Amino acid sequence: MQAFRTAVERHDLDALETLLAEDVVFTSPVVFKPYRGKAITAAIVRGAARVFEDFRYRRVIGAADGRDHALLFTARVGDREISGCDFLHLDESGRIDELTVMVRPLSGAQALQAAMAAQFERIAQEAQEAAARSGA
């Protein structure tokens, strides 16, 4: 999905948020339970943008007009190199209703988990503020 890729690469997180369905489900590589809803998903993506360094998409898999896409990326978290994939599913209106992230190796996933945990108070606050603004 080119719009998602462009928004991430340009750090245009407001544009990225407009691509999310209200009922989007975000599945994280470092927690068991999925997160549900646009406000928390957008806040998590903002947190990840603060954590990842040298983030680059390397390849996109999926038909341009399809509803399923895989975007392979590389990044760093601190001194750990990460390879990963964003799996996107689009609803009938073209909004992202599922966003699943997978990363490797284990040491990179552990570094990501620690870095995101350090962000989580801010992420929760951003999600709460966004939900209040939208009336959710």
Side-chain angles (χ1 to χ4, degrees):
M1 157 168 239
Q2 188 58 44
F4 180 85
R5 179 180 183 168
T6 300
V8 170
E9 290 177 337
R10 292 183 179 167
H11 293 274
D12 187 350
L13 302 178
D14 292 333
L16 187 142
E17 188 171 350
T18 67
L19 301 172
L20 300 175
E22 290 298 325
D23 61 348
V24 63
V25 176
F26 176 81
T27 305
S28 166
V30 295
V31 296
F32 177 72
K33 252 174 76 174
Y35 293 94
R36 298 180 183 280
K38 185 175 185 174
I40 188 65
T41 299
I44 290 169
V45 171
R46 288 177 192 282
R50 291 188 293 267
V51 166
F52 282 128
E53 300 172 53
D54 301 325
F55 185 94
R56 301 262 190 277
Y57 281 118
R58 299 294 181 197
R59 186 166 34 145
V60 176
I61 301 169
D65 61 347
R67 292 178 58 190
D68 291 292
H69 304 272
L71 292 83
L72 286 76
F73 65 84
T74 58
R76 270 186 319 102
V77 176
D79 64 350
R80 298 293 178 188
E81 297 289 329
I82 293 177
S83 297
C85 190
D86 292 333
F87 295 98
L88 309 176
H89 181 269
L90 307 180
D91 65 14
E92 300 80 28
S93 68
R95 299 261 186 255
I96 299 166
D97 64 356
E98 293 176 24
L99 171 55
T100 299
V101 179
M102 300 295 234
V103 297
R104 63 161 307 281
L106 178 58
S107 62
Q110 291 167 330
L112 177 60
Q113 189 279 330
M116 290 300 288
Q119 291 279 321
F120 212 79
E121 186 174 320
R122 181 174 176 183
I123 289 168
Q125 181 66 34
E126 288 175 0
Q128 187 176 35
E129 291 168 0
R133 283 192 305 272
S134 71

